[in-house]
Amino acid sequence: KSSQGRMSEKAIAAVSLSKVYYRTESGTGNRVPFYALKGINFELEKGEVLGIIGNNGSGKSTLLRVLSGITKPSEGYVEINGSVASILDIGTGFHPDLSGTQNVYMRGQLLGMSKAENDLVFDEIVEFSGVGEFIDSPVKHYSSGMFLRLAFSIIIHLNANILLLDEVMAVGDAEFRQKCGQKITDLVNSGRTVIMVSHDLRSVMDICTLTALMKDGEIVKLASPLSVVSNSYLAKVAGIEQTTEGQSKPVNVAGWKDEGHGFEIHSFEAVHGNKELMGIDFKSAEEINLRLKFTTKNSNVNFGITVTDFLSNRLMDDSPQYRTSEDSKQLIGTYDANWKIQGNLLNSGRYFVDIYVIDDNYKVIKHLPKALQFTININDSSEDGGVQFRAPIANGLTLDLQKHS
């Protein structure tokens, strides 16, 4: 369903979209309804990029097929302001026996372009795709990567206002994925609108202006990429326990012990600056103290930590082999280890701290992943703490080790 009046600034909108399929129940033979989509509602402004994420089977690809008009919804409707081009499956819209050149012109005609208009962009399509000398070969001989590169190159060079992309970043080498990301950004800056399904969370973070998390055919959260990816999706993937308020809390490692290697962890906590106040939410300018209390009975046992972001990129680490003081390498007794992270060092977002128990040969005895987590908020006025861009920190941890008397 198209609309020009009410949707003058909207590119695309989904209104109460549902898609019902039926399966036959084993034993009874009854037809049982299954909702692939259920009550989907959203609006997208011109020039926005919507990233759709979620587990396999959550309804992401079904939603794109409904938005593109390939699949009719069982309930609700789609409002579109402009022309739509899509890559939903590798090879969709291609005739396998035709050459790359013939498929380029056929696809253009399907989108309402004349041969003259196709001629103007043909060389650019071939150059961007990297297909080169194979452009006049039948596409049935193309690899999956060649298929995708040519399909993507065609739709971004043709006159479509709205692009629907399903896992474009999943096929192709790193160089092509980088080209795709930059080209999508360029298209959005020129006023195009993009909806992309992707499991590549870094691409979603880098490219999208809005992100939808889908589960069981429904959009369970629609917000900024940082908020959806960090606070909703990865919290579940990482197994971080949720409180009744919906906020994540750290996994409790207090009391964890290994009698064989002779050590015990009494507590691990994040503390605000110079205050004796534990927490998991910090302002960007605050100093953060990561405090570990432990006991060792063997001098060949020591502790190190790493700090990673919510995409598992290691940002900081401290391990005994990096330490110059011999007093901090061979430990017997009960200790308070305090790792200090200075203020204004980290971007807004969610961070995890892993504990490593290491022997005197620097071999890892035990790894306790995500033993602690905390968040940085740069701007209190926005839901996700605003957006700041800083380079990853090779090392930003300062250790202060105190032995109990």
Side-chain angles (χ1 to χ4, degrees):
K1 177 179 177 179
S2 297
S3 172
Q4 294 296 325
R6 296 180 289 147
M7 284 195 65
S8 58
E9 295 303 319
K10 305 292 182 186
I12 190 168
V15 182
S16 302
L17 279 185
S18 293
K19 181 62 182 178
V20 183
Y21 293 103
Y22 291 88
R23 60 180 176 84
T24 302
E25 191 175 48
S26 60
T28 66
N30 295 331
R31 295 182 73 226
V32 180
F34 166 73
Y35 275 84
L37 298 176
K38 188 174 183 180
I40 300 291
N41 290 282
F42 69 85
E43 292 183 342
L44 205 58
E45 301 280 350
K46 293 179 179 179
E48 284 196 282
V49 184
L50 172 64
I52 304 175
I53 63 174
N55 292 340
N56 291 333
S58 60
K60 305 183 300 297
S61 295
T62 302
L63 177 56
L64 282 195
R65 294 178 73 86
V66 171
L67 295 176
S68 68
I70 293 174
T71 301
K72 289 186 178 181
S74 303
E75 302 168 15
Y77 57 92
V78 179
E79 292 186 339
I80 294 174
N81 188 0
S83 57
V84 178
S86 62
I87 302 179
L88 303 186
D89 294 296
I90 295 175
T92 297
F94 281 80
H95 191 296
D97 293 321
L98 298 181
S99 68
T101 298
Q102 291 168 321
N103 274 287
V104 168
Y105 281 89
M106 181 181 71
R107 196 72 180 269
Q109 285 182 317
L110 292 174
L111 287 171
M113 295 180 65
S114 66
K115 183 179 182 302
E117 290 173 319
N118 268 283
D119 288 340
L120 291 175
V121 295
F122 179 78
D123 289 342
E124 294 177 40
I125 291 173
V126 176
E127 181 181 359
F128 188 91
S129 70
V131 173
E133 60 184 309
F134 299 100
I135 192 64
D136 290 319
S137 300
V139 297
K140 65 183 178 183
H141 298 314
Y142 285 12
S143 67
S144 59
M146 292 169 67
F147 249 119
L148 184 85
R149 293 200 305 271
L150 183 58
F152 182 79
S153 187
I154 290 171
I155 70 167
I156 63 174
H157 286 93
L158 300 184
N159 295 329
N161 308 111
I162 302 166
L163 306 182
L164 307 179
L165 310 175
D166 193 355
E167 286 295 354
V168 167
M169 301 300 180
V171 180
D173 55 27
E175 181 182 1
F176 182 70
R177 291 197 297 271
Q178 185 177 11
K179 284 174 62 177
C180 287
Q182 183 57 55
K183 191 63 178 181
I184 290 172
T185 301
D186 293 343
L187 292 173
V188 169
N189 289 338
S190 68
R192 306 278 190 96
T193 305
V194 178
I195 300 178
M196 56 181 281
V197 165
S198 182
H199 288 289
D200 184 344
L201 299 180
R202 172 52 66 191
S203 295
V204 171
M205 292 289 298
D206 290 344
I207 298 172
C208 298
T209 59
L210 192 64
T211 301
L213 173 60
M214 293 193 68
K215 180 182 179 182
D216 298 330
E218 299 182 83
I219 292 179
V220 295
K221 186 164 186 179
L222 181 65
S224 70
L226 179 60
S227 176
V228 175
V229 174
S230 173
N231 297 332
S232 298
Y233 186 58
L234 284 181
K236 175 174 66 67
V237 172
I240 301 302
E241 186 179 353
Q242 300 288 321
T243 67
T244 54
E245 292 80 18
Q247 296 295 317
S248 296
K249 64 181 181 180
V251 177
N252 186 15
V253 296
W256 203 94
K257 62 176 67 177
D258 185 328
E259 297 290 352
H261 290 97
F263 68 85
E264 179 179 358
I265 296 174
H266 302 291
S267 62
F268 190 36
E269 58 196 24
V271 181
H272 289 269
N274 296 321
K275 304 174 184 177
E276 295 297 318
L277 179 64
M278 290 189 300
I280 61 171
D281 295 306
F282 297 86
K283 303 295 188 298
S284 61
E286 277 189 279
E287 176 185 285
I288 302 172
N289 293 291
L290 306 174
R291 293 185 179 176
L292 175 68
K293 183 178 181 180
F294 62 89
T295 296
T296 62
K297 297 178 182 179
N298 300 324
S299 61
N300 66 339
V301 173
N302 212 318
F303 290 80
I305 65 170
T306 62
V307 179
T308 62
D309 65 13
F310 56 88
L311 293 177
S312 298
N313 297 307
R314 183 178 291 192
L315 304 180
M316 305 176 184
D317 58 58
D318 178 71
S319 189
Q321 63 261 44
Y322 303 145
R323 300 171 193 157
T324 56
S325 171
E326 293 299 319
D327 293 337
S328 67
K329 291 185 178 181
Q330 299 203 358
L331 313 173
I332 296 179
T334 299
Y335 291 83
D336 285 322
N338 184 82
W339 286 275
K340 185 184 299 181
I341 303 176
Q342 69 187 59
N344 294 316
L345 196 62
L346 296 173
N347 294 325
S348 60
R350 182 187 301 270
Y351 296 88
F352 298 103
V353 188
D354 290 14
I355 296 175
Y356 289 86
V357 188
I358 301 168
D359 66 16
D360 52 2
N361 292 318
Y362 307 127
K363 179 182 177 181
V364 176
I365 299 171
K366 183 66 180 178
H367 174 209
L368 298 172
K370 298 178 174 60
L372 189 66
Q373 65 102 2
F374 61 91
T375 58
I376 300 291
N377 296 304
I378 288 186
N379 180 357
D380 292 337
S381 65
S382 71
E383 177 188 0
D384 57 27
V387 177
Q388 295 285 325
F389 299 97
R390 299 189 180 94
I393 309 301
N395 199 351
L397 298 167
T398 304
L399 174 62
D400 176 36
L401 193 64
Q402 299 291 330
K403 184 174 183 179
H404 285 244
S405 57

